[in-house]
Amino acid sequence: MPKTYEDPPKELTDLIAEARRRFHPVLERCEVTIAALLEADIDKDTGEVMHSLKANGYPAAAMVKATNLKERSLGLADALMLVDRRWWEDHPNVEERLALVDHELTHLQVCADPGGIVWWNANEREVAGKPKADDRGRPKLKLQHHDFQIGGFIDVARRHKQRAVEVQQVEMLQNDLGQWAWDFIHELAPAAE
Ligand SMILES: [Zn+2]
């Protein structure tokens, strides 16, 4: 089952540009460049496109990493996004694809000089902080972890119920009625358009 890498479809490249422009003003203003590849595992007998990407051992739809100085010196972009081709083909909805790309870009933060990260000042509608550059003059990046990460075992949840972290993590995201605790429409509006 050989792994293959393919150039990104134009739609993916366009969505990266759109997500950077609409949701990530810091990446946009600091001109952080993001290259992308589709990764797949092709069954050598049937030719079937299978899931390939894994993050920490679990299937992943996409992942992103900051490139290092050597890679950048060879002409690579500031960050590289890998998208699982199977996921991409199974999710033709452009809004879902945009959400995935937005997720990956949210992992990317621009380091500030002398410390911390560059951030978007929504009140003044401008970027705050001085971007830290590498020896090539490209912005140094660090990866932001997820706000939440849920992992668990169904058997443990069944055995221990509310005492299990599995159940507690899920309940944390729900209100008393068992609905999502977030008001998606009002609280999670895009930071910038
Ligand atoms: Zn992620």
Side-chain angles (χ1 to χ4, degrees), residues 62 103-104 107 146:
H103 174 110
E104 296 309 319
H107 278 297
H146 295 148

PDB file of all heavy atoms in Angstrom, residues 62 103-104 107 146, ligand 1:
ATOM      1  N   ALA A  62      -6.638  16.088   8.152  1.00  0.00           N
ATOM      2  CA  ALA A  62      -5.583  16.986   7.670  1.00  0.00           C
ATOM      3  C   ALA A  62      -4.621  17.273   8.807  1.00  0.00           C
ATOM      4  O   ALA A  62      -4.938  17.025   9.977  1.00  0.00           O
ATOM      5  CB  ALA A  62      -6.182  18.288   7.147  1.00  0.00           C
ATOM      6  N   HIS A 103      -9.533  25.123  10.399  1.00  0.00           N
ATOM      7  CA  HIS A 103      -9.003  24.405  11.561  1.00  0.00           C
ATOM      8  C   HIS A 103      -7.473  24.320  11.478  1.00  0.00           C
ATOM      9  O   HIS A 103      -6.768  24.648  12.442  1.00  0.00           O
ATOM     10  CB  HIS A 103      -9.610  22.994  11.626  1.00  0.00           C
ATOM     11  CG  HIS A 103      -9.025  22.130  12.708  1.00  0.00           C
ATOM     12  ND1 HIS A 103      -9.731  21.756  13.825  1.00  0.00           N
ATOM     13  CD2 HIS A 103      -7.791  21.575  12.851  1.00  0.00           C
ATOM     14  CE1 HIS A 103      -8.959  21.014  14.605  1.00  0.00           C
ATOM     15  NE2 HIS A 103      -7.773  20.880  14.032  1.00  0.00           N
ATOM     16  N   GLU A 104      -6.979  23.905  10.335  1.00  0.00           N
ATOM     17  CA  GLU A 104      -5.525  23.734  10.211  1.00  0.00           C
ATOM     18  C   GLU A 104      -4.796  25.068  10.345  1.00  0.00           C
ATOM     19  O   GLU A 104      -3.759  25.153  11.000  1.00  0.00           O
ATOM     20  CB  GLU A 104      -5.181  23.054   8.883  1.00  0.00           C
ATOM     21  CG  GLU A 104      -5.730  21.632   8.749  1.00  0.00           C
ATOM     22  CD  GLU A 104      -5.386  20.736   9.945  1.00  0.00           C
ATOM     23  OE1 GLU A 104      -4.260  20.815  10.440  1.00  0.00           O
ATOM     24  OE2 GLU A 104      -6.270  19.971  10.379  1.00  0.00           O
ATOM     25  N   HIS A 107      -4.075  26.331  13.817  1.00  0.00           N
ATOM     26  CA  HIS A 107      -2.908  25.785  14.527  1.00  0.00           C
ATOM     27  C   HIS A 107      -1.679  26.691  14.395  1.00  0.00           C
ATOM     28  O   HIS A 107      -0.753  26.602  15.197  1.00  0.00           O
ATOM     29  CB  HIS A 107      -2.539  24.410  13.960  1.00  0.00           C
ATOM     30  CG  HIS A 107      -3.350  23.272  14.511  1.00  0.00           C
ATOM     31  ND1 HIS A 107      -3.326  22.924  15.838  1.00  0.00           N
ATOM     32  CD2 HIS A 107      -4.199  22.396  13.911  1.00  0.00           C
ATOM     33  CE1 HIS A 107      -4.124  21.870  16.040  1.00  0.00           C
ATOM     34  NE2 HIS A 107      -4.676  21.545  14.879  1.00  0.00           N
ATOM     35  N   HIS A 146      -5.118  22.335  20.377  1.00  0.00           N
ATOM     36  CA  HIS A 146      -6.575  22.448  20.370  1.00  0.00           C
ATOM     37  C   HIS A 146      -7.090  23.035  21.688  1.00  0.00           C
ATOM     38  O   HIS A 146      -6.503  22.813  22.739  1.00  0.00           O
ATOM     39  CB  HIS A 146      -7.220  21.062  20.198  1.00  0.00           C
ATOM     40  CG  HIS A 146      -6.927  20.442  18.865  1.00  0.00           C
ATOM     41  ND1 HIS A 146      -6.800  19.097  18.684  1.00  0.00           N
ATOM     42  CD2 HIS A 146      -6.740  21.003  17.648  1.00  0.00           C
ATOM     43  CE1 HIS A 146      -6.544  18.849  17.405  1.00  0.00           C
ATOM     44  NE2 HIS A 146      -6.498  19.982  16.765  1.00  0.00           N
TER      45      HIS A 146
HETATM   46 ZN    ZN B   1      -6.089  20.110  14.789  1.00  0.00          ZN
END
